């Protein structure tokens, strides 16, 4: 792939003037003031983080958060099916559910069967979440060692990869932003040598551990 990839961003509603926005579809009924909501802010930050590494990336926005950052399993599954049927090459999910759901895993299977790459955020603490815990999904948590242009190979129970989680005090940070940075790196790799080549060259290997001098690989 040498063209800018289309990324299905499953999140809050993206504004019409979002850089790279090709189309938007809403899998849920939006709040009347959704454009000013936490969901819209979250989606905007995800799109910006993705384009930090892939400035030419294009978006298919699929809204699942009506205003607040919560949704139903049925809505999330519907969004994944829409992504599976779309022309998107990469599907991004900065959300997670604590329990395995047949409904959600079937939708993930549909995305992967369609030949798409799927990235999902995974918290650094606690039990694995879905869809990140599904097989063949790029599960990503925050890694303090990483800049926005770096990623790590962790191979932890909850996350295979790590990426930049953002700056302390930022409006949006954590696993959500880390997954978005990683999606941007995937998009960049698609246009520059391929994902397999990217995955052979992590910036860090092994889990992060905090020491007096700063974070290091264990």
């Amino acid at each position: 792939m040498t063209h800018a990839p289309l990324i299905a961003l499953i999140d809050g509603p993206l504004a019409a003037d979002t850089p790279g926005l090709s189309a938007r579809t809403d899998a849920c009924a939006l709040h009347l003031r959704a454009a000013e909501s936490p969901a819209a802010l979250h989606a905007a930050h995800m799109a910006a983080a993705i384009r930090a590494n892939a400035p030419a990336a294009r978006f298919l926005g699929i809204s699942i958060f009506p205003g607040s950052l919560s949704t139903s399993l049925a809505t999330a599954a519907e969004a994944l099916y829409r992504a599976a049927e779309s022309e998107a090459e990469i599907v991004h999910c900065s959300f997670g559910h604590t329990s395995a759901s047949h409904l959600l895993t079937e939708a993930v299977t549909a995305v992967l069967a369609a030949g798409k790459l799927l990235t999902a955020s995974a918290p650094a603490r606690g039990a694995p979440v879905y869809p990140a815990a599904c097989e063949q999904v790029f599960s990503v948590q925050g890694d303090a060692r990483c800049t926005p242009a770096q990623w790590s190979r962790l191979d932890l129970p909850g996350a295979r990869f790590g990426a930049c989680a953002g700056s302390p005090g930022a409006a949006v940070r954590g696993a959500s932003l880390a997954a978005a940075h990683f999606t941007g790196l995937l998009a960049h790799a698609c246009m520059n040598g391929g994902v397999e080549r990217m995955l052979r060259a992590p910036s860090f290997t092994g889990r992060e551990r905090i020491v007096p001098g700063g974070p290091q690989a264990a």
Side-chain angles (χ1 to χ4, degrees):
M1 182 194 308
T2 57
H3 63 277
L6 179 64
I7 299 169
L9 179 59
I10 302 177
D11 209 280
L14 287 172
D17 61 353
T18 300
L21 182 62
S22 294
R24 195 188 95 190
T25 178
D26 302 327
C28 63
L30 299 180
H31 188 277
L32 290 176
R33 300 185 64 182
E36 307 163 24
S37 68
L41 175 67
H42 191 268
H45 278 273
M46 297 306 103
I50 290 169
R51 282 176 66 92
N53 288 312
R58 299 172 296 123
F59 297 112
L60 165 61
I62 306 179
S63 310
I64 61 169
F65 300 132
S68 63
L69 291 171
S70 62
T71 191
S72 68
L73 283 172
T75 299
E78 169 63 21
L80 285 163
Y81 280 119
R82 291 190 190 188
E85 295 169 359
S86 75
E87 296 182 357
E89 292 100 341
I90 303 172
V91 180
H92 177 86
C93 302
S94 274
F95 63 86
H97 194 265
T98 54
S99 301
S101 159
H102 190 62
L103 185 66
L104 199 62
T105 54
E106 279 195 340
V108 168
T109 298
V111 171
L112 298 174
K116 305 177 190 305
L117 305 177
L118 198 161
T119 303
S121 57
R125 295 179 177 84
V129 299
Y130 297 84
C134 295
E135 291 186 11
Q136 300 180 55
V137 171
F138 290 98
S139 50
V140 186
Q141 70 179 43
D143 187 330
R145 298 170 295 184
C146 295
T147 67
Q150 295 177 317
W151 65 278
S152 57
R153 183 69 188 238
L154 301 176
D155 288 325
L156 298 174
R160 288 194 294 152
F161 304 98
C164 178
S167 304
V172 177
R173 66 184 309 271
S176 289
L177 202 68
H181 280 129
F182 192 84
T183 290
L185 290 169
L186 287 178
H188 177 81
C190 286
M191 295 183 286
N192 296 274
V195 172
E196 288 187 8
R197 178 180 176 182
M198 167 190 157
L199 295 180
R200 291 196 295 267
S203 300
F204 305 96
T205 302
R207 73 187 305 156
E208 171 193 351
R209 63 185 176 94
I210 305 300
V211 297
Q216 294 183 0

